[in-house]
Short mmCIF file of all heavy atoms in Angstrom, two decimals:
data_model
loop_
_atom_site.label_atom_id
_atom_site.label_comp_id
_atom_site.label_asym_id
_atom_site.label_seq_id
_atom_site.Cartn_x
_atom_site.Cartn_y
_atom_site.Cartn_z
N ILE A 21 15.35 16.48 16.08
CA ILE A 21 15.89 15.27 15.44
C ILE A 21 16.74 14.47 16.41
O ILE A 21 16.64 13.24 16.51
CB ILE A 21 16.70 15.66 14.19
CG1 ILE A 21 15.78 16.26 13.12
CG2 ILE A 21 17.46 14.45 13.64
CD1 ILE A 21 16.52 16.85 11.93
N ALA A 22 17.61 15.15 17.14
CA ALA A 22 18.52 14.47 18.06
C ALA A 22 17.77 13.79 19.20
O ALA A 22 18.12 12.68 19.62
CB ALA A 22 19.54 15.47 18.61
N LEU A 23 16.73 14.43 19.72
CA LEU A 23 15.94 13.81 20.78
C LEU A 23 15.19 12.59 20.27
O LEU A 23 15.08 11.57 20.95
CB LEU A 23 14.96 14.82 21.37
CG LEU A 23 15.55 15.89 22.28
CD1 LEU A 23 14.51 16.96 22.59
CD2 LEU A 23 16.10 15.29 23.57
N SER A 24 14.67 12.68 19.05
CA SER A 24 13.99 11.53 18.47
C SER A 24 14.95 10.36 18.31
O SER A 24 14.60 9.21 18.63
CB SER A 24 13.39 11.92 17.11
OG SER A 24 12.72 10.83 16.53
N ALA A 25 16.16 10.66 17.86
CA ALA A 25 17.17 9.61 17.70
C ALA A 25 17.55 9.00 19.05
O ALA A 25 17.97 7.84 19.12
CB ALA A 25 18.41 10.16 17.00
N ALA A 26 17.42 9.79 20.11
CA ALA A 26 17.75 9.31 21.45
C ALA A 26 16.60 8.55 22.10
O ALA A 26 16.72 8.12 23.25
CB ALA A 26 18.16 10.49 22.33
N GLY A 27 15.49 8.40 21.39
CA GLY A 27 14.39 7.58 21.89
C GLY A 27 13.20 8.34 22.44
O GLY A 27 12.24 7.73 22.91
N PHE A 28 13.24 9.66 22.39
CA PHE A 28 12.10 10.46 22.85
C PHE A 28 10.98 10.46 21.80
O PHE A 28 11.26 10.40 20.59
CB PHE A 28 12.51 11.90 23.10
CG PHE A 28 13.28 12.13 24.38
CD1 PHE A 28 14.64 11.88 24.44
CD2 PHE A 28 12.64 12.59 25.52
CE1 PHE A 28 15.35 12.09 25.62
CE2 PHE A 28 13.33 12.81 26.69
CZ PHE A 28 14.70 12.56 26.74
N THR A 29 9.76 10.54 22.26
CA THR A 29 8.63 10.88 21.40
C THR A 29 8.57 12.40 21.36
O THR A 29 8.33 13.04 22.40
CB THR A 29 7.31 10.31 21.94
OG1 THR A 29 7.40 8.89 21.97
CG2 THR A 29 6.15 10.74 21.07
N VAL A 30 8.81 12.98 20.20
CA VAL A 30 9.05 14.42 20.11
C VAL A 30 7.89 15.14 19.43
O VAL A 30 7.41 14.72 18.37
CB VAL A 30 10.37 14.71 19.35
CG1 VAL A 30 10.61 16.22 19.24
CG2 VAL A 30 11.54 14.04 20.04
N TYR A 31 7.50 16.24 20.05
CA TYR A 31 6.56 17.19 19.46
C TYR A 31 7.32 18.48 19.21
O TYR A 31 7.85 19.09 20.15
CB TYR A 31 5.38 17.44 20.39
CG TYR A 31 4.42 16.27 20.46
CD1 TYR A 31 4.73 15.15 21.21
CD2 TYR A 31 3.23 16.29 19.75
CE1 TYR A 31 3.87 14.06 21.27
CE2 TYR A 31 2.35 15.20 19.80
CZ TYR A 31 2.68 14.10 20.55
OH TYR A 31 1.82 13.03 20.59
N ALA A 32 7.41 18.87 17.95
CA ALA A 32 8.16 20.06 17.56
C ALA A 32 7.18 21.19 17.26
O ALA A 32 6.26 21.01 16.45
CB ALA A 32 9.03 19.77 16.34
N GLY A 33 7.37 22.34 17.88
CA GLY A 33 6.44 23.43 17.70
C GLY A 33 7.09 24.70 17.20
O GLY A 33 8.22 25.02 17.57
N ALA A 34 6.38 25.42 16.35
CA ALA A 34 6.83 26.72 15.84
C ALA A 34 5.67 27.34 15.06
O ALA A 34 4.69 26.67 14.73
CB ALA A 34 8.06 26.58 14.94
N ARG A 35 5.82 28.63 14.75
CA ARG A 35 4.80 29.30 13.94
C ARG A 35 4.89 28.87 12.48
O ARG A 35 3.88 28.72 11.80
CB ARG A 35 4.96 30.81 14.05
CG ARG A 35 4.59 31.39 15.41
CD ARG A 35 4.73 32.90 15.45
NE ARG A 35 6.09 33.33 15.16
CZ ARG A 35 6.47 33.98 14.07
NH1 ARG A 35 5.59 34.30 13.14
NH2 ARG A 35 7.73 34.34 13.90
N ARG A 36 6.12 28.69 11.98
CA ARG A 36 6.31 28.34 10.57
C ARG A 36 6.24 26.82 10.39
O ARG A 36 7.26 26.14 10.30
CB ARG A 36 7.65 28.91 10.08
CG ARG A 36 7.71 30.43 10.10
CD ARG A 36 9.01 30.97 9.55
NE ARG A 36 10.14 30.66 10.42
CZ ARG A 36 11.40 30.98 10.16
NH1 ARG A 36 11.70 31.60 9.02
NH2 ARG A 36 12.37 30.68 10.99
N VAL A 37 5.03 26.32 10.34
CA VAL A 37 4.82 24.87 10.30
C VAL A 37 5.43 24.26 9.05
O VAL A 37 5.97 23.14 9.09
CB VAL A 37 3.31 24.56 10.37
CG1 VAL A 37 3.06 23.06 10.24
CG2 VAL A 37 2.72 25.08 11.68
N ASP A 38 5.37 24.97 7.93
CA ASP A 38 5.91 24.42 6.69
C ASP A 38 7.40 24.12 6.79
O ASP A 38 7.89 23.16 6.19
CB ASP A 38 5.65 25.39 5.53
CG ASP A 38 6.27 26.76 5.77
OD1 ASP A 38 6.06 27.33 6.87
OD2 ASP A 38 6.98 27.26 4.88
N LYS A 39 8.12 24.90 7.57
CA LYS A 39 9.56 24.69 7.73
C LYS A 39 9.87 23.39 8.47
O LYS A 39 10.97 22.86 8.39
CB LYS A 39 10.19 25.86 8.49
CG LYS A 39 10.19 27.19 7.75
CD LYS A 39 11.35 27.26 6.79
CE LYS A 39 11.50 28.65 6.20
NZ LYS A 39 12.66 28.74 5.28
N MET A 40 8.88 22.89 9.20
CA MET A 40 9.10 21.68 10.00
C MET A 40 8.69 20.40 9.30
O MET A 40 8.83 19.30 9.87
CB MET A 40 8.36 21.81 11.33
CG MET A 40 8.86 22.95 12.21
SD MET A 40 8.09 22.95 13.86
CE MET A 40 6.40 23.44 13.44
N GLU A 41 8.20 20.50 8.08
CA GLU A 41 7.76 19.31 7.35
C GLU A 41 8.81 18.20 7.32
O GLU A 41 8.48 17.02 7.50
CB GLU A 41 7.33 19.68 5.94
CG GLU A 41 5.94 20.28 5.85
CD GLU A 41 4.85 19.31 6.26
OE1 GLU A 41 4.89 18.15 5.80
OE2 GLU A 41 3.98 19.69 7.06
N PRO A 42 10.11 18.52 7.09
CA PRO A 42 11.12 17.45 7.06
C PRO A 42 11.23 16.67 8.37
O PRO A 42 11.71 15.53 8.37
CB PRO A 42 12.42 18.20 6.75
CG PRO A 42 11.99 19.46 6.07
CD PRO A 42 10.70 19.83 6.72
N LEU A 43 10.81 17.25 9.47
CA LEU A 43 10.90 16.56 10.75
C LEU A 43 10.00 15.33 10.80
O LEU A 43 10.27 14.38 11.54
CB LEU A 43 10.54 17.52 11.89
CG LEU A 43 11.50 18.68 12.14
CD1 LEU A 43 10.96 19.58 13.24
CD2 LEU A 43 12.90 18.19 12.50
N LYS A 44 8.94 15.34 10.02
CA LYS A 44 8.01 14.21 10.02
C LYS A 44 8.70 12.93 9.57
O LYS A 44 8.30 11.83 9.97
CB LYS A 44 6.81 14.52 9.14
CG LYS A 44 5.94 15.65 9.66
CD LYS A 44 4.76 15.92 8.73
CE LYS A 44 3.87 17.04 9.25
NZ LYS A 44 2.73 17.33 8.33
N GLN A 45 9.73 13.07 8.74
CA GLN A 45 10.48 11.89 8.28
C GLN A 45 11.20 11.19 9.43
O GLN A 45 11.59 10.03 9.31
CB GLN A 45 11.50 12.30 7.21
CG GLN A 45 10.90 12.96 5.99
CD GLN A 45 11.96 13.52 5.06
OE1 GLN A 45 13.15 13.20 5.20
NE2 GLN A 45 11.55 14.35 4.12
N HIS A 46 11.39 11.89 10.53
CA HIS A 46 12.06 11.32 11.70
C HIS A 46 11.06 10.85 12.76
O HIS A 46 11.43 10.56 13.90
CB HIS A 46 12.99 12.37 12.32
CG HIS A 46 14.07 12.83 11.39
ND1 HIS A 46 15.31 12.21 11.30
CD2 HIS A 46 14.09 13.85 10.49
CE1 HIS A 46 16.05 12.84 10.41
NE2 HIS A 46 15.34 13.84 9.89
N GLY A 47 9.79 10.79 12.39
CA GLY A 47 8.76 10.35 13.32
C GLY A 47 8.35 11.40 14.32
O GLY A 47 7.76 11.08 15.37
N ILE A 48 8.64 12.64 14.01
CA ILE A 48 8.34 13.75 14.91
C ILE A 48 6.98 14.34 14.56
O ILE A 48 6.67 14.55 13.39
CB ILE A 48 9.45 14.81 14.81
CG1 ILE A 48 10.78 14.23 15.31
CG2 ILE A 48 9.09 16.08 15.58
CD1 ILE A 48 11.99 15.06 14.93
N THR A 49 6.20 14.64 15.58
CA THR A 49 4.92 15.30 15.37
C THR A 49 5.11 16.80 15.37
O THR A 49 5.76 17.36 16.26
CB THR A 49 3.93 14.92 16.48
OG1 THR A 49 3.75 13.50 16.50
CG2 THR A 49 2.57 15.58 16.25
N VAL A 50 4.57 17.45 14.36
CA VAL A 50 4.74 18.89 14.17
C VAL A 50 3.50 19.62 14.67
O VAL A 50 2.37 19.23 14.37
CB VAL A 50 4.99 19.19 12.68
CG1 VAL A 50 4.91 20.68 12.40
CG2 VAL A 50 6.35 18.64 12.25
N LEU A 51 3.74 20.67 15.46
CA LEU A 51 2.65 21.47 16.02
C LEU A 51 2.77 22.92 15.60
O LEU A 51 3.87 23.47 15.55
CB LEU A 51 2.69 21.43 17.56
CG LEU A 51 2.59 20.09 18.27
CD1 LEU A 51 2.82 20.29 19.76
CD2 LEU A 51 1.23 19.46 18.02
N SER A 52 1.63 23.55 15.34
CA SER A 52 1.60 24.99 15.18
C SER A 52 1.64 25.59 16.58
O SER A 52 0.75 25.35 17.40
CB SER A 52 0.32 25.43 14.46
OG SER A 52 0.24 26.84 14.42
N LEU A 53 2.70 26.34 16.88
CA LEU A 53 2.89 26.83 18.24
C LEU A 53 3.44 28.25 18.21
O LEU A 53 4.53 28.50 17.71
CB LEU A 53 3.86 25.92 19.00
CG LEU A 53 4.22 26.34 20.43
CD1 LEU A 53 2.97 26.44 21.29
CD2 LEU A 53 5.21 25.36 21.03
N ASP A 54 2.68 29.17 18.76
CA ASP A 54 3.06 30.57 18.87
C ASP A 54 3.19 30.89 20.35
O ASP A 54 2.20 30.86 21.09
CB ASP A 54 1.99 31.45 18.22
CG ASP A 54 2.31 32.94 18.29
OD1 ASP A 54 3.27 33.32 18.98
OD2 ASP A 54 1.59 33.72 17.65
N VAL A 55 4.41 31.17 20.82
CA VAL A 55 4.62 31.39 22.25
C VAL A 55 4.17 32.76 22.72
O VAL A 55 4.37 33.12 23.88
CB VAL A 55 6.10 31.14 22.64
CG1 VAL A 55 6.51 29.71 22.37
CG2 VAL A 55 7.02 32.13 21.94
#
């Protein structure tokens, strides 16, 4: 969220994609990402 507010185009990744749904409201693209 903070990087998006600072002007970055942000891709947010995690295994629990459902937990990241609120990030879409900030223009953030959500990725399924398992490191």
Side-chain angles (χ1 to χ4, degrees):
I21 294 172
L23 286 170
S24 180
F28 284 82
T29 298
V30 179
Y31 287 78
R35 290 182 300 112
R36 296 183 291 178
V37 176
D38 58 311
K39 293 278 189 179
M40 297 187 290
E41 281 296 314
L43 294 176
K44 294 179 179 179
Q45 301 172 14
H46 299 270
I48 296 165
T49 301
V50 169
L51 300 173
S52 175
L53 177 58
D54 180 350
V55 298

